Amino acid sequence: EAVWDIEVGRLQIAVGKMVSGKKNLGNSMRELKVHKLVLNCCVGESGDRLTRASRVLEQLTGQQPIFSKSRLTIRTFGIRRNEKISTHVTVRGDKAEEILERGLKVKEYELFARNFSDTGSFGFGINEHIDLGIKYDPSTGIYGMDFYVVLKRAGSRVARRRRAKARVGKYQSVSKDDAIKWFQQKYEGIVL
């Protein structure tokens, strides 16, 4: 009978460890990381303004931006289908965290709860790129841009890789609450 109690005890311990949502927060596999930061600058027209906006993104990130095309024609905005109307760049690693820090400083580390998605990503916009520390150039002008941050935990590649694909467990995927908690802890941010 004593042996049975120990077995039950072991089972309880094993079950306790499996519920990783709250129990083992010290596990390095549970840490949230910035997977990527996407900077988007939508100008709404092709031509010189779009080229200048891409130059701003290149100055900020040191990477070559990509142009996005409109999906449909909107006559009131003067946009034709397949016309280049915006430019964006994806940044990863330490550079992404550094640019994100500068963007959040502009927002004074305050975001709304609606800025966070159910998949644990979040986004916000700034009105003037010169707030990020780029020197104002009269020939370029001033552009606003959107920041979109994708968070992930280690092991998310399991669902995307080609060979031996598997599902990521529900405790390993990132939720809205996880993202908000990460933002509040890492940047001492305020969620309104």
Side-chain angles (χ1 to χ4, degrees):
E1 211 169 293
V3 175
W4 177 250
D5 287 342
I6 292 168
E7 286 298 316
V8 170
R10 270 198 210 137
L11 276 174
Q12 284 174 340
I13 291 166
V15 169
K17 282 187 176 172
M18 282 168 59
V19 181
S20 58
K22 294 164 186 70
K23 298 283 182 201
N24 52 353
L25 297 171
N27 188 346
S28 61
M29 292 290 279
R30 300 271 309 145
E31 286 174 20
L32 284 177
K33 299 179 183 85
V34 175
H35 178 53
K36 62 183 173 183
L37 165 69
V38 180
L39 297 170
N40 181 44
C41 187
C42 186
V43 181
E45 60 183 83
S46 56
D48 197 33
R49 277 193 70 210
L50 186 62
T51 315
R52 290 200 302 259
S54 73
R55 204 177 314 132
V56 165
L57 285 181
E58 193 170 354
Q59 257 183 315
L60 183 62
T61 61
Q63 293 175 210
Q64 187 68 43
I66 288 174
F67 296 108
S68 303
K69 296 175 178 179
S70 69
R71 287 184 296 120
L72 35 100
T73 302
I74 304 171
R75 290 188 63 193
T76 52
F77 296 155
I79 296 172
R80 290 186 307 279
R81 187 168 183 271
N82 284 335
E83 181 185 8
K84 290 179 180 176
I85 57 167
S86 78
T87 178
H88 70 273
V89 65
T90 302
V91 191
R92 298 172 198 270
D94 295 334
K95 191 186 285 184
E97 292 195 18
E98 184 248 317
I99 294 170
L100 173 61
E101 177 88 43
R102 281 157 63 182
L104 287 170
K105 198 178 284 181
V106 173
K107 297 296 278 186
E108 297 174 345
Y109 300 99
E110 288 183 6
L111 295 177
F112 292 101
R114 66 171 180 260
N115 289 45
F116 293 84
S117 77
D118 293 333
T119 55
S121 304
F122 67 95
F124 59 92
I126 60 166
N127 294 327
E128 299 182 351
H129 74 273
I130 53 173
D131 294 335
L132 296 169
I134 298 174
K135 199 161 173 280
Y136 173 66
D137 182 11
S139 64
T140 305
I142 293 176
Y143 292 95
M145 62 184 69
D146 299 319
F147 285 66
Y148 198 74
V149 183
V150 179
L151 299 176
K152 71 161 190 171
R153 285 197 172 99
S156 61
R157 179 177 171 269
V158 167
R160 301 199 198 301
R161 64 190 178 190
R162 185 184 175 111
R163 191 185 159 278
K165 265 189 188 162
R167 284 180 57 201
V168 175
K170 77 173 182 187
Y171 289 120
Q172 196 65 4
S173 54
V174 186
S175 69
K176 182 174 182 172
D177 295 334
D178 291 338
I180 290 174
K181 201 175 287 178
W182 175 85
F183 170 67
Q184 288 170 334
Q185 284 175 349
K186 180 153 186 181
Y187 296 106
E188 294 171 6
I190 301 159
V191 177
L192 305 169

